Amino acid sequence: MELEFPAESTRLAEVRTALRGWLDRCGLAPAHAYNILVAAGEACANAVEHGHRDDPGGRIRLRAAATAGDLRLSITDSGRWRDRNRPPDPHRGRGLVLMRALNDSISVTPGATGTTVDMQARIRP
């Protein structure tokens, strides 16, 4: 599955709906599909909020692939990685922790032309 959408928070519900339908067609157990939806939703929301906070009108791409044993998701924005010199907010910053808890592996690759979050989860019967 591949979706590309504007980096706007108003688009997140339709992205979740499309991903939910694809996960259903893959035959994932409801609890496992829910975990994937939460993690992907968080990654997409972060791409909107953080990747495009200074660059409205950007694009986000979600790619998903399932094999017999695992599911891989990739969320890429076309914005810029956050400013590391900004002081941390004690009420924020739990998104990556959540994504790591709901997947078997996750990597974040910031680059000059955007950031990519790759997630992998084993498909359990």
Side-chain angles (χ1 to χ4, degrees), residues 90-110:
H91 304 290
R92 312 264 334 228
R94 294 178 184 87
L96 287 173
V97 173
L98 177 66
M99 287 183 262
R100 284 189 176 102
L102 297 172
N103 287 280
D104 293 301
S105 68
I106 177 174
S107 66
V108 178
T109 309

Side-chain angles (χ1 to χ4, degrees), residues 11-87:
R11 300 299 188 105
L12 295 175
E14 66 189 63
V15 170
R16 283 190 304 272
T17 298
L19 182 57
R20 182 181 297 111
W22 183 80
L23 291 168
D24 287 346
R25 290 188 297 281
C26 288
L28 263 67
H32 195 128
Y34 178 79
N35 289 347
I36 298 302
L37 281 168
V38 169
E42 181 65 27
C44 289
N46 283 351
V48 169
E49 181 180 354
H50 301 297
H52 294 281
R53 70 195 169 287
D54 298 324
D55 181 27
R59 308 285 296 170
I60 297 170
R61 179 178 296 166
L62 182 148
R63 292 179 178 161
T67 63
D70 72 6
L71 183 113
R72 294 181 184 269
L73 287 134
S74 179
I75 294 91
T76 303
D77 67 58
S78 59
R80 293 182 326 173
W81 190 246
R82 66 182 173 154
D83 180 5
R84 293 199 181 269
N85 295 321
R86 189 172 36 176

